[in-house]
Amino acid sequence: QVQLVESGGGLVQAGGSLRLSCAASGLTFRTYTMGWFRQAPGKEREFVAAISRSGSSTNHADSVKGRFTISRDNAKNTVSLQMNSLKPEDTAVYYCAAGPYISDYDFRRKSLYVYWGQGTQVTVSS
């Protein structure tokens, strides 16, 4: 049984930082592309960042580029999202997702991710 469990969300003031983590179990972690998506109230779930199986390639949405950084540890089966310079518009539920053998140019395709966590709330106050 595959499980993705996010942690690290919370309430932070604008300009602050948070680090989200996702612990994966029940899958061969190193064979999965890992991604972070987010969903704000009344909006569709959107891509935030993704990282290749080896960790050598990453992709970040334009809205977070330069502020957020995705990383992974294949020895610990974890993927993280370091979020700096947070803005009120970053407020959302953040989801960890896993997809098998997703190529770099398909990182942003939500439909290719087959496993999803339950999400963690991030709230940024102004």
Side-chain angles (χ1 to χ4, degrees):
Q1 178 184 357
V2 175
Q3 282 193 312
L4 302 177
V5 180
E6 302 97 337
S7 61
L11 173 65
V12 64
Q13 287 188 332
S17 298
L18 282 174
R19 184 177 180 86
L20 304 184
S21 294
C22 173
S25 61
L27 75 171
T28 305
F29 186 73
R30 66 182 184 278
T31 67
Y32 283 78
T33 296
M34 299 301 296
W36 286 97
F37 291 77
R38 66 187 182 186
Q39 188 166 16
K43 295 188 176 181
E44 290 192 4
R45 194 170 298 188
E46 65 174 5
F47 170 80
V48 176
I51 187 166
S52 63
R53 288 165 281 157
S54 68
S56 61
S57 178
T58 63
N59 189 281
H60 296 78
D62 291 345
S63 59
V64 307
K65 202 169 292 184
R67 300 187 298 122
F68 291 11
T69 303
I70 190 171
S71 61
R72 69 187 293 162
D73 186 336
N74 284 351
K76 295 182 178 180
N77 286 8
T78 58
V79 60
S80 299
L81 185 69
Q82 178 66 44
M83 306 187 296
N84 299 327
S85 302
L86 282 160
K87 305 175 181 179
E89 50 264 43
D90 295 319
T91 295
V93 177
Y94 283 71
Y95 297 91
C96 172
Y101 300 105
I102 299 176
S103 58
D104 292 11
Y105 53 81
D106 282 333
F107 274 176
R108 302 187 179 204
R109 291 181 61 187
K110 188 169 47 180
S111 62
L112 297 181
Y113 291 82
V114 297
Y115 299 116
W116 293 82
Q118 292 300 304
T120 185
Q121 176 71 46
V122 171
T123 303
V124 184
S125 63
S126 56

